[in-house]
Amino acid sequence: QVQLMESGGGSVQPGESLRLSCTGSGYTHSSNCIGWFRQAPGQEREAIAAIYTGGGNTYYADSVTGRFTISKVSAKQTVYLQMNSLKPEDSGMYYCAAIDRPRCQYGGSWRDRNAAASWGQGTLVTVSS
């Protein structure tokens, strides 16, 4: 059974940084599409970044391109989300999930949250002055 757990959330001021971690078990980390999603209060959960753990290919939503970086350490079965230049609109619950898209490229969009499964419990990010 695939299990994912997020950590690293917190409260920061605009312009500051955070690094989120997503640690998994029960699956082959080396050949999966793992994504980060966020959900602000009253809004739908949206995909913001994904990584193919086999080749390291990365994908980003326009809203975070240039500010967020997704990466992996396979030996730790962990995917990270480095978030820089945070804005108040980045606030929300952040989740990681395994995405049923081979290499994050095939069978549909990696941004389709219906393709995501094995959600973690989420970690809260608050950006406020």
Side-chain angles (χ1 to χ4, degrees):
Q1 181 180 357
V2 177
Q3 291 185 320
L4 299 172
M5 180 176 293
E6 306 91 340
S7 62
S11 295
V12 297
Q13 295 188 343
E16 294 186 338
S17 300
L18 279 174
R19 188 179 77 161
L20 306 183
S21 300
C22 171
T23 301
S25 62
Y27 71 106
T28 303
H29 181 80
S30 62
S31 59
N32 279 269
C33 180
I34 303 295
W36 282 99
F37 296 72
R38 71 181 175 197
Q39 187 168 21
Q43 297 188 20
E44 293 186 344
R45 192 172 299 185
E46 61 170 341
I48 57 173
I51 186 167
Y52 170 53
T53 59
N57 306 66
T58 57
Y59 306 84
Y60 298 96
D62 289 344
S63 59
V64 304
T65 297
R67 299 188 299 123
F68 291 11
T69 302
I70 190 170
S71 62
K72 66 177 179 73
V73 176
S74 296
K76 296 183 177 181
Q77 297 217 169
T78 299
V79 171
Y80 299 100
L81 185 68
Q82 177 67 42
M83 306 187 296
N84 297 331
S85 302
L86 282 162
K87 305 175 182 180
E89 52 263 43
D90 294 317
S91 297
M93 285 294 291
Y94 282 69
Y95 302 88
C96 63
I99 302 172
D100 185 19
R101 292 287 183 260
R103 298 177 176 265
C104 295
Q105 297 182 66
Y106 304 108
S109 172
W110 63 271
R111 302 188 66 177
D112 181 359
R113 64 180 182 272
N114 293 320
S118 304
W119 297 97
Q121 84 289 349
T123 188
L124 181 63
V125 172
T126 303
V127 185
S128 175
S129 56

